[in-house]
Structures are given as structure tokens and as C-alpha cells.
Amino acid sequence: MRRGLLWLGALLLLGGCASSRPIDEIQIIQQMGYDFENGRYTGTAVYPTFKQGPMTKPNMLTTTSPTVYDLIPRLSSKSALPVEEGQLRLILFGKEFARRGVTQITHSLARNNKVGSHLLLGVAEESAKELLKTAANTTLSDTLYLPNLVEQNEQSMNLPKTNLHLFLYRYFSPGSDPFLPYFEKKGDFVKLEGVALFRDDRYVGHVSLRDSFLMKILLGETKNGVYQLKVGNRGKQGEDRVMLQNLWAKSKYEWKRDGSRHVLDVFVHIHASVRDYPSWLDHSGQDLFADVKKKMQNELEHNMRRLFRYFQKKRIDPLGIGDFVRSVTRHWDSDAFYREYPDLDIRPHVTVDIVHTGIGE
Amino acid sequence: MGLFSFWKKKKKRPPQRPISQLWEKLRQSSDFVEVSFVVGGKELSIYYFDSLVDPQVLQERIFCHLQNDIPQHPNVRLEDLQQIVPIQRIEVSEDTALIEEKVLKGFVAVTFREQPNKAALMGAAAENLGLRENNDSENEFSVVGPKVGFVENVGVNLHLIRRQVVTPNLVFREMSIGSVSKTKVVIAYIDGVANPEVIQTVTQRLESIHFDVVFDNAILDQLLADNSRTPFPLFISTERIDRAIYALVSGQVAIFCDGSPYAVIGPAALFDFFTSPEDYYLPWVLGTFFRLIRFFGVAFSVLASPIYVAVLTYHYEMIPEDLLGPIIYSRSNVPFPPVLEVLFLEITIELLREAGARLPTKVAQTLGIVGGIVIGQATVDAGLTSTILLIVVALAALASFTTPIFKMSNTIRLIRFPFILFAACWGGIGIIFAVCGLLIHLGRLQSFGYPYLLPFYPFRVRSFRDTFVRSPYSETAERPMFLRPRSRFRYDPNAAKQKRDIDE
């Protein structure tokens, strides 16, 4: 009996130690933007307000500070309820901020137990604040417009998978560099423009959405994405293009020594379906796509070479080639490898299999 | 005469009282009848309780034969009455205590003047007077399967059992419990199947019970229990015949008690409380599915509202983004913290249930509708609770009804509350503490000395055939070995596994 009371007492006393945060008494922020302007940092938080039923309206809080860490406490001084970051879904960096390095944020996120590793990160072409504002204005009730945009494009389109976990993995790994989705403001809309590339934690450039398809394939097995190819020189715009839909692609790397130099062979096998093609292709007889296939392979190889050259020129490795080489090299030396990297001979070999071309084939 | 004089007397063995003193005592009661008459030169006295005796038996069997046949047997003694009176087992005794007990149970005592200290006892009790004739087992209803349930009359119950267990090994052991009620209690088991150790434990525990009136088997259940502080029922109590017989056949012991339509079955394990006879009447795939649904229902019923409390108070990070809007919106007008909100609704539901159980059926139905719809809707409209919680609590209440044994569903109703308090104090980790505490408690429980968590703790793989999965009958020939039955197989396992592809 006495022991029972003791337990009950302990329960009550210890229960007082936990700080409770009832869900309706906190300000949940779902998106956060960081900018660097005129020597000061600007933080923008997007939080939902629930007015009519489950319909939500995105609202914004903005504050500026000379340091980054100070931003969230400063936001609290503008909010009636304590600001809680446990439901963060997206963090957007302004281009200027990203150029100066994002470690301050990601390092704190890596240790924050409230934030999940599924958190998405992104880079805005100009200011993150403007982009978040535009996104908030384009949607009626969806506070998660940008995260949904990214997820949708990762799942069914050309964007390679990114999130905080993968960012940190690529950031800390000696054999790869991180990349993030890249947004641009087009008029009153927000548009996904491609992939922003980082050297360590600094933004160094970006590639287009079309090239990000190649990145997606080169990063590993993938089942989606579309790619448009030029197959002829006739007629108007669009009449000489083939729209390729990736069904299943696989990439394989081979690391060889060729004399004094190293050679990286990249074998890419794409099972694709042709979604749209110009009508003149139909007249060329039985082997409808034999010629097209050849052209596709050549063009893909050409584009991949271009992409590799771009990465080599920027001395970045978003594809994790260093990681691959490390996996097949004993005593891999990161510095030595990246000294050689800009002049590395990377040879893409693309095989395209056209699986089907729609009804009637 | 004190309340416990019955067993005190046994202990001290007081000197025998003369029989006349007994009649003197019984005469105080106005329903005690004493008839004296002379027939064929014999002076007879007949004593009985009017309220206990079946008048038809009394007149047609006893009076009729005594009056007509004694003149033809002038030298008849009490011991010879069996030849005259067509009543089974006439007992002649000098023991006043025995005579008293029998007369109080509806026997008719006949004395001759020549044998003043002896009485012949003839059973003429109106066994079924005022008792139910049948029971449709509505409290443990099953759509498929027999609908006959046990009734208050223990004789009928034994008959129902004996009808289906046609073996000389079925043993009924009778004893009398209760200093005032002298209730007839019967232990039933199958000799050669049930472990003698269990039978001995049951007999010993029953013999050591000292109580005045045994109203129902539920009282025996509590007096027999290994641990009286647990909210968990340690024995199954059932009104279904099939369930009782299944228990007997698996090697368990059943206890019947006069005046109670329930049989108490032990040793019972936790999992026995979640099996329903219907599992065995449906094909095993369906039986298994419904059994799993029931387990899910119990887990849901216990954990749903604590998780609501924990998540809304401490773990807002865990809410999926699509649920965030509806939850926050429905919570926004509620003035209480989540704990009070949950307790308020849970207690409302408990009130409804309790009120529904105490009221006559027809009123209870109306009350259910009024309570469920009106109060539910009104509390949400008034902003006292959130709509989501209303759904959670209602589903949890619904899920707790899926347990086939009523006692267990009561337990589930109760253990939800400590879970809610733990969740309110410590959040998710509090729920884990509560679950651990519950498992420790369950692990310590015993039923007639057998661990309650069998076959999980101690772990018995072979007995798993009939726990989560109700295996097909080709696999269940072996009795659950954790009960340590004397015989291993219920039926021939090889014959059960034989495939009859070709019907010759």
C-alpha cells in the first residue's frame, strides 16, 4: 500500500517535469526560408491557420537578424504562441544564403530531435522570402504547396530524390557532394527549375530539369522521368522530337586503369516507352524505331558527357563517383582522387530499349 | 444460532440432540408442516416444509402409498419403506444434523412411533419451482452453433454436459458450500484427461471456502482466485455448453454451482478469454481472421485514447501533415487540455453503459440513442470535445465489446484509465511504462497455479496452434500441453490428417 502511494507520488511529481505542448497552444511552422540581404539574415516562417474546417490558410512571419541562430527566437517575439519547428516540411535557402554556405542550418537540423529526416531542403533562385510568399498566394488552402511539388516531381518526374537525410549523407561523405531542388519564380508562379549543386555546403551552380533526368538515371535505378529528344531536322518545332518516358533504367559503373590514366565506364540501360513521336516516323517501314533508337543513344551519351564535363569543371561530384571508386579501391585517397577528377575520362554507354509505343503496336 | 454455527458445530462435535428438539425448532416457521396419523395400527408422523416440497410427489408417491400399503405390511420398519414408497433412495438416519439439512433441502421426514430417534428421508423437493427452464445464452451469443445455455438448476446443467460427453470417465464431484445457503457445488472433469494435481487444487480450495450464502458462481470465482487484487478474471465463466465441454475435453476443470447459470472453468490462460465458440464453427480461415480482429480490437480499445492524449499533449511532431488540419481545427474551441477532454468523454461513455445495463431493456435502448447521438453531438457543438476524439472514444468502446467474455470486457474498460493518466503525465513513454507494467502484472498472475500468460510465458511453441491462429482440425488433435493433460490426443491425429481424395 505504502509502496503504491510512493509510486503514485513519484508519478505525479515526475509528471510535472515534462513540458507539455498541447497541439492547439503552439505555433506550428511548416516551412522556413533563409535569406542573406545587405549583411543581415532574414528568416521567413510559414505557418498554417485553421479557420473554416480543415481548410488552411498559410500565413507568414518574417524577421531579420545579424546571425542565423537568432532567427527562431526572434520569430517568437512576433507570435502569440510559442513557435515550434517539429512539423517542418521544407526549408528554402535563398541563392545568396546558399552561396555563403548552409552548414549553420543543416548542422543544427542534424542534431534536432524534433525534425524528421524526411524534411525537404531547396534553393530559391532569388530570395526565399519572395518565393514562399508567391507560393502562399498561389494556393487557396494548401500550406504544403512546395513540399508537395517536390515530392510529386521526385515520384513521377525528373527530379532525383532529395531530403535532409540524403543531403547530410552526401555532405558528410568524402566521395560525394550534395544537391537540392532549385526553384524559380516565374511571374505569379513558382516553378521547379532543376537541381542546385553544392560543393561541400556552398551553392556553386545548377542544372536544368532536363539534365536532372540524366542525373536521376546516373544515380541508380529509377522508374520514372520523361526526356525529349531531337531525331530529325524537318518541319516546325515539335515535329522532329520524340518524347521518351522512362519505364526502368539502370546504371552501372566500371573503374578501369588505362595506361597511366583512370577510366570510368558508365553503362546505362534504359527501358523506355515512346509517348509521343512525329507522324512522319510511321512511314519509314518495319523497323520503326531502329534509327530513332540509335539517335537517342547518341544524344543521351552526348548530353551525359556534357553533364560530366560540367561537374568536372566545377569540381563537384553530386553523382557520388568518389564513393563508387572508394568501394572498388583499397586505401582510397580522397584528395588524390579529386586532384585527378577534373581530367578523369568518363565514358557513358547508353542502351535504349523501346518497350512499347502505346496502343496499336 | 450464529451465522457460522454450521462449521463450528462440525469442529467441536457437540453431543447429539434428540430428534424432538429439532422438530421443536423447526416448528417456529409457519411453512413447516407436521402430519400425524395412524394407519394399520402404526402411528406415523410426517414432517416437511410446505414451501420446498412438490405437492404432487407428496400426495401421489408418499401419502398415497403410506396410507394404502402399510396395512398390508404390519411389521414394517422405517428401513423397509423403500419397498413401499416409490421414491428413489430413501435414507434412514439417526443423525439430527443430517435430518435437519435434508428437511431444509425439501426432503420429507417420516417417523414411526416405535423408532422415535430415527427418520426416513424421502426426496420430494420441487427442483424447478421458480427457476428458469431454459437459457438462450444471450449474453454469450453466437450466430452459428447451439443456443442452449446453462440454467440455474445444477441438475439440468449436469444433464446437459453428460448428454454430450458420453464416457464413464466424466466425473462429477459434489460438495456443499455456504454455512447458510448450503449450496450444492459440483466439480466436473474428465478422468484420465485432467491433471490430478489440478483436480486436487480445485477440491482443496473449494473445501477451504468459508462463506455464508453463495449467490452465484462469480462469488466462488473470486474466492478461488489465486490473486484477489488483479482486475483480470482468472477463470472463465461461461453459460455456453459447448465452451464448457471444450474446456473439459482439453483437460480443464469446470465448477457448477446450484443457482447459477454460469460454469467456472480453470485453469484459464489470458488467450482463452479472446476465443469464441464461433471460431470453431466457422472455417478456420474465417475463425482466425475474426480472432485476430478481436485481438486488434482489444489493443485498440486500450491504447486509442491514451495515444490521442500523448500525441496531442507531447508529440505533435508525429501527426501526419494531412491530419494536422482536422485535429487542430477540431481542438481549437476546446477549453480543456487533452487529458480532461478524454476523461470527460470516456466517463460519459461509461455512464451510458452503466445506465444502459441497470435499466430495463426497452428504456435502455432509448437511452443509448439519446446518449449516443444527442450527448455526442451536443458536446461537440458546445465545444467541450473535439469531433476526432468522439470518434476515437466511440470506436474504442465498440472495440471493447468484441471480447466474448463479459468479465474480460469489464477489465478492458477499467485498465484504459491508468493508461490515460500515464499518457497524460509522461506522454508516449508513459504509455510504454503502462504497457510494461501491465505485462509484468500479467506475467505474475496464476490461475490454479498455472501461469496466466501461457503459452507465451513460459513459451510453448507447440501450443500456438490455437492461439492467434485457429488451426484447421487436422492440426489440433493434440491437447494444449501446457495444461499437462494425462492423455495427449483428443482424437487420432493421423486419421485427421488423412486426405480422402477418392471416395470409394
Side-chain angles (χ1 to χ4, degrees):
Chain A
M1 190 62 207
R2 190 178 292 172
R3 250 174 63 184
L5 281 176
L6 208 71
W7 274 105
L8 203 70
L11 175 75
L12 288 174
L13 289 175
L14 284 174
C17 295
S19 61
S20 68
R21 297 159 297 168
I23 192 163
D24 47 338
E25 288 164 27
I26 49 174
Q27 191 68 267
I28 288 170
I29 53 176
Q30 288 188 320
Q31 293 170 66
M32 191 77 204
Y34 289 101
D35 285 307
F36 182 75
E37 276 174 337
N38 310 323
R40 282 175 77 81
Y41 292 99
T42 311
T44 314
V46 181
Y47 63 91
T49 41
F50 302 94
K51 288 255 169 59
Q52 287 110 25
M55 292 272 277
T56 55
K57 196 185 161 344
N59 285 325
M60 316 208 17
L61 278 176
T62 310
T63 188
T64 59
S65 158
T67 67
V68 177
Y69 303 132
D70 202 21
L71 286 171
I72 288 192
R74 278 193 189 219
L75 283 176
S76 287
S77 63
K78 290 193 180 176
S79 160
L81 298 168
V83 172
E84 287 282 351
E85 69 269 36
Q87 282 276 352
L88 266 180
R89 304 285 157 169
L90 176 87
I91 289 185
L92 207 57
F93 303 111
K95 202 185 208 168
E96 207 41 51
F97 185 93
R99 272 218 175 96
R100 298 173 61 88
V102 296
T103 342
Q104 293 187 82
I105 305 294
T106 52
H107 190 234
S108 118
L109 287 175
R111 285 176 295 108
N112 192 337
N113 60 352
K114 284 181 192 169
V115 175
S117 55
H118 268 85
L119 171 69
L120 297 171
L121 305 172
V123 175
E125 207 222 351
E126 284 159 29
S127 114
K129 180 180 154 192
E130 285 304 309
L131 200 95
L132 287 173
K133 198 180 272 173
T134 316
N137 287 338
T138 41
T139 55
L140 267 179
S141 72
D142 188 6
T143 44
L144 298 170
Y145 176 76
L146 286 176
N148 290 342
L149 179 75
V150 172
E151 259 161 35
Q152 186 268 117
N153 276 289
E154 279 174 1
Q155 268 166 27
S156 53
M157 298 304 279
N158 292 358
L159 193 67
K161 191 159 176 56
T162 59
N163 56 34
L164 176 64
H165 178 84
L166 290 171
F167 180 89
L168 291 172
Y169 173 78
R170 290 183 183 127
Y171 171 69
F172 284 115
S173 161
S176 64
D177 285 311
F179 57 86
L180 291 177
Y182 185 74
F183 298 97
E184 218 169 281
K185 192 181 149 194
K186 285 267 160 94
D188 286 341
F189 287 93
V190 172
K191 189 170 172 287
L192 188 66
E193 268 298 309
V195 172
L197 303 165
F198 287 74
R199 188 186 307 129
D200 290 337
D201 68 324
R202 282 158 206 272
Y203 169 83
V204 288
H206 75 274
V207 296
S208 69
L209 210 52
R210 195 167 126 91
D211 286 337
S212 73
F213 172 68
L214 299 178
M215 271 184 77
K216 193 170 184 169
I217 288 173
L218 287 168
L219 277 164
E221 269 180 45
T222 168
K223 286 196 290 188
N224 33 50
V226 291
Y227 199 74
Q228 209 181 43
L229 286 166
K230 200 175 166 195
V231 291
N233 279 318
R234 335 179 163 190
K236 297 166 283 186
Q237 222 1 288
E239 284 212 345
D240 50 1
R241 310 273 162 143
V242 168
M243 188 70 150
L244 201 72
Q245 186 174 21
N246 174 25
L247 294 179
W248 183 64
K250 201 176 174 180
S251 60
K252 206 179 131 204
Y253 293 73
E254 261 174 36
W255 179 243
K256 279 191 303 205
R257 197 171 184 98
D258 183 10
S260 60
R261 303 182 60 202
H262 279 105
V263 175
L264 185 75
D265 280 306
V266 183
F267 298 95
V268 176
H269 194 167
I270 304 175
H271 298 260
S273 81
V274 173
R275 205 154 67 174
D276 297 299
Y277 57 92
S279 48
W280 55 262
L281 265 177
D282 268 343
H283 302 299
S284 56
Q286 280 293 69
D287 206 357
L288 194 59
F289 289 106
D291 182 40
V292 178
K293 221 164 99 174
K294 195 85 202 148
K295 279 185 176 158
M296 282 177 190
Q297 290 174 356
N298 286 339
E299 186 165 347
L300 281 169
E301 276 173 18
H302 171 75
N303 284 336
M304 278 181 189
R305 265 195 296 275
R306 188 177 45 74
L307 196 66
F308 282 126
R309 268 202 301 280
Y310 178 72
F311 291 158
Q312 283 170 315
K313 203 180 83 208
K314 293 257 180 197
R315 286 183 293 113
I316 51 171
D317 185 10
L319 299 175
I321 290 168
D323 266 348
F324 165 74
V325 174
R326 186 191 54 74
S327 74
V328 293
T329 315
R330 195 177 284 248
H331 309 304
W332 180 71
D333 180 1
S334 159
D335 296 335
F337 175 77
Y338 281 107
R339 264 198 305 278
E340 195 190 352
Y341 182 71
D343 305 317
L344 195 66
D345 189 8
I346 303 177
R347 299 171 183 162
H349 310 276
V350 180
T351 319
V352 176
D353 272 344
I354 292 175
V355 179
H356 63 84
T357 52
I359 298 170
E361 291 296 318
Chain B
M1 218 180 145
L3 214 52
F4 297 105
S5 59
F6 171 65
W7 58 272
K8 266 187 195 156
K9 189 166 60 198
K10 250 189 178 171
K11 269 186 177 172
K12 290 179 190 164
R13 293 209 165 270
Q16 187 85 21
R17 285 177 298 163
I19 201 163
S20 56
Q21 216 173 321
L22 172 69
W23 305 138
E24 201 60 48
K25 193 168 78 188
L26 292 177
R27 260 188 219 113
Q28 292 171 358
S29 194
S30 57
D31 58 344
F32 182 72
V33 180
E34 181 183 350
V35 186
S36 298
F37 52 90
V38 182
V39 63
K42 291 251 178 204
E43 216 171 299
L44 284 164
S45 289
I46 299 174
Y47 306 91
Y48 59 91
F49 273 99
D50 205 16
S51 54
L52 291 173
V53 167
D54 185 350
Q56 208 180 348
V57 176
L58 187 69
Q59 286 161 18
E60 288 179 3
R61 302 270 171 82
I62 299 175
F63 274 92
C64 179
H65 289 277
L66 286 177
Q67 287 167 347
N68 292 343
D69 298 345
I70 283 187
Q72 296 157 28
H73 305 80
N75 292 326
V76 76
R77 299 189 314 130
L78 275 178
E79 285 79 359
D80 306 327
L81 278 180
Q82 186 81 67
Q83 297 162 11
I84 297 171
V85 182
I87 276 188
Q88 55 166 348
R89 252 174 59 195
I90 295 177
E91 236 178 300
V92 178
S93 174
E94 282 182 83
D95 183 359
T96 333
L98 180 80
I99 296 170
E100 181 188 81
E101 192 187 318
K102 292 280 182 188
V103 169
L104 283 168
K105 288 238 152 173
F107 280 63
V108 173
V110 179
T111 55
F112 287 162
R113 190 166 184 152
E114 306 100 76
Q115 295 166 285
N117 284 327
K118 273 189 181 176
L121 298 161
M122 307 170 188
E127 289 270 341
N128 255 337
L129 193 65
L131 290 182
R132 274 195 298 178
E133 291 286 322
N134 50 20
N135 175 5
D136 295 336
S137 68
E138 270 170 6
N139 296 332
E140 281 177 76
F141 193 73
S142 155
V143 179
V144 196
K147 309 278 180 294
V148 192
F150 292 125
V151 291
E152 279 79 356
N153 186 340
V154 70
V156 177
N157 295 348
L158 298 185
H159 161 81
L160 291 170
I161 294 282
R162 180 89 59 198
R163 264 227 319 223
Q164 281 195 316
V165 186
V166 187
T167 160
N169 291 338
L170 175 65
V171 178
F172 293 136
R173 251 198 234 169
E174 194 183 316
M175 55 176 73
S176 165
I177 292 178
S179 58
V180 173
S181 67
K182 306 232 166 54
T183 310
K184 180 173 161 187
V185 171
V186 178
I187 307 169
Y189 59 89
I190 298 182
D191 191 33
V193 175
N195 190 331
E197 233 172 84
V198 180
I199 301 165
Q200 208 203 330
T201 316
V202 177
T203 320
Q204 254 175 14
R205 287 213 192 149
L206 278 174
E207 272 166 357
S208 60
I209 287 177
H210 300 306
F211 208 64
D212 54 351
V213 180
V214 180
F215 293 102
D216 189 79
N217 234 338
I219 290 175
L220 287 185
D221 188 323
Q222 291 175 47
L223 294 171
L224 285 174
D226 303 51
N227 178 352
S228 61
R229 287 185 188 168
T230 174
F232 284 89
L234 294 175
F235 310 111
I236 296 175
S237 54
T238 179
E239 59 172 358
R240 292 191 64 90
I241 298 167
D242 41 10
R243 203 181 180 113
I245 290 174
Y246 185 78
L248 289 177
V249 165
S250 346
Q252 284 161 308
V253 174
I255 300 162
F256 296 90
C257 159
D258 200 23
S260 166
Y262 282 90
V264 168
I265 296 166
L270 180 67
F271 283 85
D272 293 343
F273 291 91
F274 301 108
T275 60
S276 150
E278 208 157 45
D279 296 351
Y280 299 94
Y281 294 137
L282 294 173
W284 72 273
V285 181
L286 296 178
T288 304
F289 176 69
F290 291 126
R291 196 176 273 189
L292 291 176
I293 292 258
R294 229 171 280 139
F295 284 119
F296 168 76
V298 172
F300 183 83
S301 173
V302 174
L303 294 175
S305 36
I307 286 177
Y308 176 88
V309 172
V311 167
L312 262 69
T313 326
Y314 295 100
H315 313 297
Y316 71 92
E317 296 97 338
M318 306 311 296
I319 302 172
E321 57 201 39
D322 297 330
L323 260 179
L324 201 63
I327 286 181
I328 294 186
Y329 174 69
S330 70
R331 271 280 308 168
S332 57
N333 291 325
V334 181
F336 312 122
V339 211
L340 288 186
E341 188 193 0
V342 167
L343 283 180
F344 173 77
L345 254 197
E346 287 282 0
I347 287 171
T348 311
I349 292 244
E350 292 305 319
L351 284 178
L352 274 177
R353 236 198 261 201
E354 200 55 28
R358 302 288 153 256
L359 280 170
T361 331
K362 281 167 192 154
V363 190
Q365 272 175 6
T366 330
L367 184 94
I369 295 166
V370 170
I373 298 172
V374 178
I375 298 183
Q377 190 57 43
T379 44
V380 169
D381 282 347
L384 288 176
T385 57
S386 66
T387 23
I388 288 177
L389 179 66
L390 194 68
I391 296 165
V392 169
V393 170
L395 279 181
L398 196 66
S400 74
F401 287 124
T402 55
T403 351
I405 303 274
F406 180 65
K407 278 184 184 169
M408 193 46 117
S409 81
N410 279 343
T411 308
I412 290 165
R413 275 164 73 180
L414 175 77
I415 58 174
R416 200 182 300 156
F417 288 94
F419 270 76
I420 293 173
L421 291 182
F422 268 87
C425 284
W426 285 342
I429 201 161
I431 296 180
I432 298 298
F433 283 163
V435 170
C436 291
L438 184 73
L439 287 180
I440 291 168
H441 176 70
L442 285 173
R444 286 167 55 112
L445 284 182
Q446 289 187 330
S447 166
F448 283 141
Y450 282 74
Y452 195 52
L453 275 187
L454 277 167
F456 277 87
Y457 173 78
F459 195 66
R460 296 285 177 268
V461 186
R462 271 159 77 197
S463 308
F464 268 82
R465 284 178 189 153
D466 195 13
T467 47
F468 285 118
V469 175
R470 201 285 275 171
S471 306
Y473 288 124
S474 56
E475 301 296 325
T476 54
E478 196 183 52
R479 297 197 161 90
M481 291 313 280
F482 57 77
L483 289 170
R484 302 192 184 284
R486 293 323 285 292
S487 124
R488 189 166 155 202
F489 292 108
R490 281 166 61 200
Y491 45 86
D492 185 352
N494 296 321
K497 274 183 189 158
Q498 225 163 47
K499 285 206 174 81
R500 277 169 229 94
D501 294 341
I502 303 163
D503 290 317
E504 285 161 23

